[in-house]
Amino acid sequence: MAEPSSALRLRSSAGRGTLAAAVLASGMVFLDSTVVNVALPRLGAELDASVSGLQWTINGYLLTLAAFVLLGGALGDRFGRRRIFLLGVVWFTAASILCGLALRTDWLVAARFLQGAGGALLTPGSLALLQASFHPDDRAKTIGAWSGLSGVSTALGPFIGGWLIDALSWRWIFFLNVPLAVLVVLATLRWVPESRDENASRKRGARQFDVAGALLGALALAGVTYALVDAPGRGLHSPAVVAAALIGVAAAVAFVFLERRRGDTAMLPTGLFGSRLFSVLNFFTVLVYAALGGFTFFIAVYLQNVIGWSALLTGLALLPMTLLLLVGSPLTGALSTRIGPRLPLTVGPVLAAVGLLMLREVEPGASYWRQVLPGVAIFGAGLTLVVAPLTASVLAAVEDRFAGVASGFNNAASRVGGLLAVAALPLLVGLTGTGYEQPAELTAAYRGALLWCAGLLLAGAVTAALLVRRPARRPPPAQPCHSLPVSTPR
């Protein structure tokens, strides 16, 4: 007889298999959030793309991922997290193949939109499966391992991408997802238990999804993103830019109004924001991941087009972040469990900001060991202090029956941060057209962008210091609920 879904232990074969499936799947999504950055110079040259084309290559993916990840979490809560998770893996892989076959920029951007939608189905499920399936005593350790290993895939993206780009082609950064997806599907079918929010599945009208909410969210993000990306070329006061911005703002207002009216049937139950900690942590997430998104967009292009490094050397330059995340995230997850998240979430962004200010001064002919490595290492150390405590604290801030939608919203917040940074920073630093191919123009833009990113990180640190508190301990339920147990944050 199989273990109940609420009692998996990390040391068991089923526990390790479930963790492996979640890590590999979320790793594909996180990998494609960073690996494409290294390919931008080569991809831009082969497809004759402008700066806006490169922005949409990143933002097309982030936009649908951010807009529909809430719906993906809600679908998993209601109809089975494993089922929706598997659907997302297959969808994401099919879209990855289309990306690899792209012959024009518009084709690639369209495929990236589809890829982001597939990622929105599997991303919240990967974490919610762990929260719902593991014994309470193992959850913090499991989430720490997931955060560390998934963070490693994010940092490993530039290294893997650089090798594939130099050895084969930028197209192979997308084809790589095919063998990974096969492993995920096999592990999921073999070990991952099904779980859902039984309360949600019994509600009247539960099968009527909040499609209007999902579309309004997507329209809000698309309108604002289009305005920011096209403003440098068309002008801030052009009718198209102004109309897109107004549509985005109007859709955002309509989204909030609709979700409040729908109550518990909403894609995003607004009651979640009754938890002050949940609201603060997601604002913090937007700030920190905006800095991360802006940094990764600019650093890979700068190191190749100004410093003159190959794609592989660019990836190797960022490898220390991978090692720090691998070793440090489980430790910081355990530390946060003992002392609370406030200190790690305050110190981490400050360290990361210092690292960016150091990397801002890198010039052609710079020594990697003296001028690049210290900044990368300090930035990676700061990021390591943030990832696991943030993930665990977001889930601990709400009831476990909202695990999927809470995970989905936090993922959306991180993607929105990256989306807005990639859309806004080129406008703020004056990078347009094919300026990324001109060393002098790119250098000025890079330095300005990293200054903005450091400012965002410091704003995150102030937010954590003033507003983040340790999650309150919740009493255990009188009766065990095997489908969705209640956690007891420590």
Side-chain angles (χ1 to χ4, degrees):
M1 183 174 179
E3 291 181 273
S5 61
S6 60
L8 287 184
R9 304 308 297 250
L10 187 56
R11 292 183 179 180
S12 68
S13 58
R16 292 193 298 269
T18 298
L19 176 61
V23 167
L24 283 174
S26 58
M28 289 195 304
V29 177
F30 297 154
L31 187 68
D32 276 35
S33 297
T34 58
V35 70
V36 178
N37 289 285
V38 176
L40 291 178
R42 198 76 57 87
L43 183 155
E46 184 173 326
L47 300 183
D48 194 26
S50 63
V51 169
S52 64
L54 300 185
Q55 287 174 280
W56 278 115
T57 299
I58 301 298
N59 282 345
Y61 176 77
L62 292 177
L63 195 154
T64 50
L65 180 58
F68 295 113
V69 75
L70 292 172
L71 183 60
L75 287 170
D77 283 347
R78 292 182 182 181
F79 297 114
R81 299 184 179 100
R82 189 178 87 151
R83 181 183 302 172
I84 300 303
F85 175 78
L86 282 171
L87 174 62
V89 171
V90 174
W91 184 325
F92 184 87
T93 307
S96 297
I97 295 172
L98 290 177
C99 290
L101 296 175
L103 300 177
R104 302 187 308 273
T105 305
D106 55 354
W107 176 347
L108 176 60
V109 170
R112 289 282 280 171
F113 273 96
L114 291 174
Q115 195 184 33
L121 293 176
L122 75 89
T123 301
S126 65
L127 183 54
L129 281 171
L130 302 182
Q131 180 76 359
S133 301
F134 277 85
H135 190 282
D137 291 344
D138 281 357
R139 279 187 208 144
K141 187 184 301 182
T142 302
I143 290 172
W146 176 89
S147 299
L149 294 172
S150 297
V152 164
S153 68
T154 304
L156 198 59
F159 169 64
I160 295 176
W163 179 79
L164 289 172
I165 292 162
D166 286 345
L168 299 171
S169 164
W170 62 266
R171 300 178 186 278
W172 282 92
I173 65 177
F174 297 109
F175 294 148
L176 175 65
N177 290 327
V178 176
L180 294 177
V182 172
L183 293 175
V184 172
V185 170
L186 293 176
T188 302
L189 294 175
R190 173 66 178 86
W191 287 300
V192 177
E194 183 61 283
S195 65
R196 57 172 55 84
D197 178 0
E198 297 295 346
N199 291 330
S201 64
R202 290 171 186 150
K203 287 175 184 175
R204 183 179 179 182
R207 291 188 180 274
Q208 297 180 2
F209 304 120
D210 188 9
V211 176
L215 293 177
L216 282 173
L219 185 60
L221 292 174
V224 173
T225 302
Y226 180 88
L228 291 172
V229 170
D230 272 30
R234 296 176 181 269
L236 283 172
H237 302 292
S238 73
V241 170
V242 172
L246 290 176
I247 289 172
V249 172
V253 173
F255 172 79
V256 173
F257 179 74
L258 176 66
E259 298 305 281
R260 292 190 65 178
R261 287 194 61 185
R262 290 184 66 95
D264 286 344
T265 64
M267 179 179 66
L268 176 61
T270 53
L272 286 174
F273 297 96
S275 167
R276 178 172 172 271
L277 179 60
F278 181 77
S279 303
V280 169
L281 289 171
N282 280 288
F283 177 68
F284 174 90
T285 299
V286 172
L287 294 174
V288 171
Y289 278 86
L292 177 60
F295 167 67
T296 54
F297 180 78
F298 275 90
I299 187 68
V301 180
Y302 180 78
L303 290 179
Q304 292 178 73
N305 287 1
V306 175
I307 305 301
W309 292 356
S310 67
L312 178 58
L313 287 177
T314 298
L316 285 171
L318 304 176
L319 187 59
M321 289 193 303
T322 303
L323 301 177
L324 286 167
L325 283 165
L326 176 63
V327 174
S329 287
L331 299 176
T332 56
L335 176 66
S336 176
T337 300
R338 290 197 302 272
I339 69 172
R342 182 180 176 185
L343 185 60
L345 297 185
T346 300
V347 175
V350 173
L351 280 178
V354 171
L356 291 189
L357 293 176
M358 294 172 67
L359 289 169
R360 184 173 176 266
E361 303 304 318
V362 173
E363 298 178 342
S367 165
Y368 172 74
W369 299 104
R370 293 195 305 271
Q371 294 172 277
V372 178
L373 178 60
V376 170
I378 292 174
F379 178 79
L383 195 63
T384 301
L385 283 172
V386 168
V387 173
L390 177 60
T391 303
S393 299
V394 165
L395 289 177
V398 301
E399 297 178 36
D400 278 1
R401 67 190 185 92
F402 292 120
V405 71
S407 171
F409 185 78
N410 189 245
N411 272 282
S414 67
R415 307 308 162 195
V416 167
L419 173 72
L420 294 178
V422 172
L425 282 176
L427 172 65
L428 292 172
V429 299
L431 187 65
T432 62
T434 57
Y436 68 95
E437 297 177 342
Q438 311 302 319
E441 188 173 342
L442 178 57
T443 297
Y446 165 80
R447 290 178 175 169
L450 262 62
L451 195 60
W452 278 98
C453 292
L456 289 168
L457 288 166
L458 293 176
V462 172
T463 300
L466 297 179
L467 300 176
V468 170
R469 296 292 182 269
R470 192 185 187 100
R473 184 184 295 270
R474 292 193 294 270
Q479 298 293 332
C481 177
H482 296 306
S483 62
L484 198 55
V486 177
S487 67
T488 49
R490 302 174 182 209

